[in-house]
């Protein structure tokens, strides 16, 4: 049976978007393709409030996380960890032989400007990694405030942001905040099938990249730039997904960006309130995510059984991530889900559990 996905990626994809991928194939060196990339890129720049470059990579987000740390630093990278995905960026940095150090807070807590200040003052860093929305805990880090601190006190430090589970669901003012890299796979808030990653890159990050020897080929900004002005990519792009992305961006912009951000806040407030009434919220109340809620399983229910029952009714939620399995469950409220969808879902959960 078809299950509507309330998991934090991949998310529910509308029929119209599935159909947008079914266009006849076009050559990636044809004018039709260049027109497509030229059409979609300004829409992404508008959504990210940036006039700098936005690249499209045929890759999941993890590939671009790797590519970005490989070309960010000639000194040392500070990795900040507050959950599974931010920890992973440290593993990726280390696995590529890039000198790095990790600071970590317990799960459910945020990375703060104070913590970053203290850490950056200890060594000669020239880049920092941040996960904006930590999907494993349902927590939104104060990226704008951290970026302001970094610019004020550590002007050489590039700011790399994994916004995988909040780009297109949360306002990100790339230029005003002064971010250097901000990336997201499209299978989360963009509500597209998986396989494409959107990545905004600042001019200064592109300059830094030139100074980093052996920074790789596939994700290299210099390689992307060889084709950027022709509205092409060096390797074959994910053409069908870019067609779907173009259709989705039209709908996001037609909804209106402010209304779009507001819809996510409304859904988040509803789910958070429901979780407080029937369970508890896992993460620090001051930093709750607007795209995914991590509910603490205070009633000791079987999350696996609940999900099995939900499956019979056409829905799927996520168990807790890693060590939080069965201790928590996660409800995503991102992409094309609506407040009515969330009301229906919580109604089903109440019915199944007899709440
Ligand atoms: C899902 C997720 C990733 C991994 O993305 P892939 O597209 O599967 O590579 C990384 N970071 C965060 C915050 C995520 O939510």
């Amino acid at each position: 049976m078809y299950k509507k996905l309330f998991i934090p990626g991949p998310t529910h994809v509308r029929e119209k978007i599935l159909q947008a991928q079914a266009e006849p194939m076009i050559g990636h060196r044809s004018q039709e393709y260049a027109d497509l990339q030229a059409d979609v890129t300004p829409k992404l720049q508008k959504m990210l409030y940036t006039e700098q470059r936005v690249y499209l990579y045929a890759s999941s987000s993890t590939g671009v996380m790797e590519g970005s740390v490989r070309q960010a630093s000639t000194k040392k990278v500070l990795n900040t960890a507050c959950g599974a995905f931010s920890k992973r960026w440290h593993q990726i940095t280390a696995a590529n032989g890039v000198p790095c150090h990790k600071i970590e807070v317990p799960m459910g807590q945020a990375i703060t400007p104070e913590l970053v200040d203290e850490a950056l003052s200890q060594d000669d860093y020239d880049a920092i990694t941040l996960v904006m929305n930590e999907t494993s805990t349902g927590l939104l880090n104060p990226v704008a405030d951290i970026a302001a601190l970094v610019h004020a006190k550590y002007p050489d430090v590039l700011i790399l942001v994994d916004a995988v589970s909040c780009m297109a669901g949360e306002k990100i003012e790339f230029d005003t905040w002064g971010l250097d890299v901000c990336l997201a796979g499209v299978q989360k808030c963009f509500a597209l099938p998986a396989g494409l990653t959107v990545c905004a890159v600042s001019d200064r990050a592109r300059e830094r990249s030139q100074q980093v020897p052996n920074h790789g080929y596939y994700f290299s900004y210099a390689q992307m730039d060889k084709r950027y002005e022709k509205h092409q990519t060096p390797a074959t792009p994910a053409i069908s997904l870019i067609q779907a992305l173009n259709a989705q961006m039209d709908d996001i912009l037609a909804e209106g960006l402010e209304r779009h951000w507001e819809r996510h806040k409304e859904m988040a407030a509803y789910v958070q309130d429901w979780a407080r009434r029937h369970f508890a919220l896992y993460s620090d109340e001051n930093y709750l995510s607007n795209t995914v809620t991590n509910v603490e399983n205070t009633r000791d229910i079987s999350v696996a059984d609940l999900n099995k029952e939900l499956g019979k009714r056409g829905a799927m939620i996520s168990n807790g991530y890693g060590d939080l399995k069965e201790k928590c469950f996660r409800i995503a409220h991102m992409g094309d889900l609506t407040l009515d969808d969330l009301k229906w879902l919580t109604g089903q959960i109440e019915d199944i559990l007899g709440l």
Side-chain angles (χ1 to χ4, degrees):
M1 182 190 175
Y2 164 77
K3 290 180 200 158
K4 193 160 203 167
L5 298 179
F6 294 86
I7 62 175
T11 52
H12 169 68
V13 182
R14 287 178 298 146
E15 186 61 34
K16 175 185 169 184
I17 298 300
L18 291 173
Q19 288 305 324
Q21 290 182 104
E23 293 288 317
M25 195 40 58
I26 54 177
H28 66 300
R29 300 291 176 235
S30 68
Q31 190 59 43
E32 286 100 314
Y33 177 77
D35 289 347
L36 172 64
Q37 189 170 315
D39 198 20
V40 74
T41 306
K43 296 172 193 171
L44 294 165
Q45 287 171 313
K46 187 167 186 195
M47 190 191 69
L48 292 166
Y49 305 87
T50 184
E51 290 177 357
Q52 301 180 85
R53 295 198 168 188
V54 178
Y55 300 127
L56 296 171
Y57 288 107
S59 168
S60 95
S61 326
T62 307
V64 184
M65 290 164 81
E66 175 158 293
S68 66
V69 289
R70 291 191 60 138
Q71 49 192 325
S73 170
T74 57
K75 294 175 180 170
K76 194 170 182 181
V77 176
L78 178 70
N79 301 120
T80 60
C82 61
F85 291 102
S86 38
K87 261 186 221 168
R88 190 183 293 175
W89 216 353
H90 173 64
Q91 290 166 358
I92 293 169
T93 311
N96 279 282
V98 178
C100 57
H101 174 71
K102 176 184 68 170
I103 57 164
E104 190 167 355
V105 295
M107 286 183 94
Q109 292 185 23
I111 303 296
T112 61
E114 294 71 32
L115 278 170
V116 169
D117 189 9
E118 146 104 45
L120 287 177
S121 70
Q122 306 285 317
D123 207 341
D124 193 14
Y125 293 105
D126 60 356
I128 180 174
T129 66
L130 296 162
V131 168
M132 183 159 169
N133 192 73
E134 181 44 78
T135 318
S136 63
T137 59
L139 180 136
L140 184 67
N141 281 306
V143 167
D145 296 342
I146 294 169
L149 168 277
V150 171
H151 282 285
K153 294 186 69 175
Y154 308 96
D156 291 338
V157 172
L158 293 188
I159 304 163
L160 278 51
V161 179
D162 163 349
V164 179
S165 59
C166 68
M167 183 192 290
E170 182 78 46
K171 191 176 205 173
I172 300 172
E173 294 180 85
F174 188 84
D175 287 356
T176 306
W177 296 358
L179 305 184
D180 292 292
V181 174
C182 186
L183 66 100
V186 296
Q187 77 275 23
K188 299 198 179 175
C189 296
F190 284 95
L192 299 177
L196 174 71
T197 292
V198 172
C199 183
V201 176
S202 71
D203 296 343
R204 70 172 194 150
R206 294 194 295 122
E207 280 158 31
R208 172 72 57 81
S209 168
Q210 310 269 7
Q211 294 154 26
V212 186
N214 301 319
H215 66 242
Y217 186 92
Y218 186 71
F219 296 102
S220 166
Y221 309 139
Q223 291 300 328
M224 297 299 276
D225 285 343
K226 284 187 182 164
R227 294 278 181 177
Y228 190 84
E229 271 156 5
K230 292 188 195 134
H231 311 294
Q232 294 182 2
T233 53
T236 313
I239 298 167
S240 302
L241 284 166
I242 296 171
Q243 283 165 330
L245 175 65
N246 201 23
Q248 183 66 301
M249 288 310 299
D250 282 340
D251 286 353
I252 290 175
L253 294 174
E255 185 181 11
L257 286 178
E258 290 305 325
R259 175 69 204 122
H260 184 77
W261 312 135
E262 205 46 47
R263 174 164 61 82
H264 285 81
K265 285 185 190 163
E266 285 165 13
M267 292 192 292
Y270 172 79
V271 174
Q272 289 160 10
D273 183 56
W274 178 86
R276 276 187 207 100
R277 269 188 289 126
H278 296 291
F279 292 91
L281 290 166
Y282 177 82
S283 286
D284 185 335
E285 285 268 357
N286 296 312
Y287 300 99
L288 294 177
S289 164
N290 287 317
T291 55
V292 56
T293 294
N294 195 27
V295 183
E296 196 172 339
N297 181 9
T298 50
R299 292 173 180 263
D300 213 17
I301 61 158
S302 161
V303 175
D305 288 351
L306 170 61
N307 227 352
K308 225 177 270 165
E309 276 306 307
L310 282 171
K312 293 181 196 160
R313 299 172 183 216
M316 182 180 184
I317 60 169
S318 264
N319 212 314
Y321 194 98
D323 294 343
L324 298 181
K325 194 170 175 183
E326 292 296 328
K327 296 195 182 102
C328 292
F329 60 90
R330 291 171 299 157
I331 298 174
H333 26 84
M334 56 174 78
D336 286 320
L337 294 174
T338 63
L339 190 54
D340 282 344
D341 290 324
L342 274 313
K343 286 180 177 166
W344 173 83
L345 177 75
T346 53
Q348 296 301 314
I349 297 176
E350 286 172 27
D351 190 49
I352 292 166
L353 298 176
L355 301 179

